[in-house]
Amino acid sequence: MSNATFRATPGYGETLRKALGYSQAVRVDQRVETSGQGGWDDDLNIPDSIEEEIVRAFDNVERTLATCGATWKDVIHVNSYHKVPQGQDAIGQDHNDVMAEQFRARLDGRAPVWTQTGVTVLGLPTMRIEIRVTAFIDDGR
């Protein structure tokens, strides 16, 4: 994989790379894959509001894509992982409303494929959302 370029998002990505030994993104030719991006700040703090956490996760995806020369407009596939309380049988509408709002705001009418999964735990105890994406950079934009 000589054409694979691994990237750490400035700030939290550098911290996580040093602590856990992984990259936030990899670019291979025109394809970009990100690791899961939480709604954290550069010190890995999670906001109290689920809306703010989801918006920040979208912002962090954007920051991570930028390290590889991509944007949300290049995204073709989204995986989102939502913390669901024990006994709850679906991802909450509060999550879905903010996700849909962010897709509309960032994708300029495009609709990537989306896989949404409910989970009981994520990487940090206070996390409720994690988003990973695949992007394809069309050089002929």
Side-chain angles (χ1 to χ4, degrees):
M1 262 207 288
S2 61
N3 61 347
T5 306
F6 294 88
R7 302 285 186 197
T9 308
Y12 69 83
E14 296 161 335
T15 299
L16 291 169
R17 186 174 194 165
K18 183 182 275 187
L20 300 175
Y22 76 97
S23 297
Q24 295 297 311
V26 61
R27 179 172 176 170
V28 180
D29 300 323
Q30 293 172 280
R31 186 183 182 106
V32 176
E33 298 282 347
T34 71
S35 64
Q37 302 298 300
W40 48 60
D41 63 15
D42 281 340
D43 296 318
L44 301 177
N45 297 310
I46 305 293
D48 292 333
S49 156
I50 185 61
E51 179 175 2
E52 187 179 342
E53 183 179 351
I54 292 172
V55 170
R56 194 179 288 168
F58 271 80
D59 290 343
N60 288 338
V61 168
E62 187 170 305
R63 289 174 64 189
T64 299
L65 287 168
T67 68
C68 293
T71 72
W72 267 104
K73 291 183 175 62
D74 299 309
V75 170
I76 59 172
H77 185 196
V78 177
N79 289 99
S80 61
Y81 305 91
H82 304 260
K83 191 170 185 179
V84 177
Q86 199 75 355
Q88 187 170 317
D89 62 357
I91 294 166
Q93 192 60 41
D94 53 345
H95 287 233
N96 289 332
D97 290 344
V98 180
M99 293 291 294
E101 176 184 286
Q102 291 301 302
F103 283 148
R104 287 185 192 101
R106 296 173 191 257
L107 291 164
D108 198 30
R110 289 185 49 255
V113 295
W114 177 25
T115 302
Q116 186 182 43
T117 305
V119 298
T120 56
V121 296
L122 289 165
L124 296 172
T126 55
M127 284 176 71
R128 294 160 292 183
I129 181 77
E130 190 167 353
I131 301 171
R132 69 152 312 280
V133 302
T134 301
F136 185 81
I137 301 169
D138 181 0
D139 292 332
R141 290 184 224 194

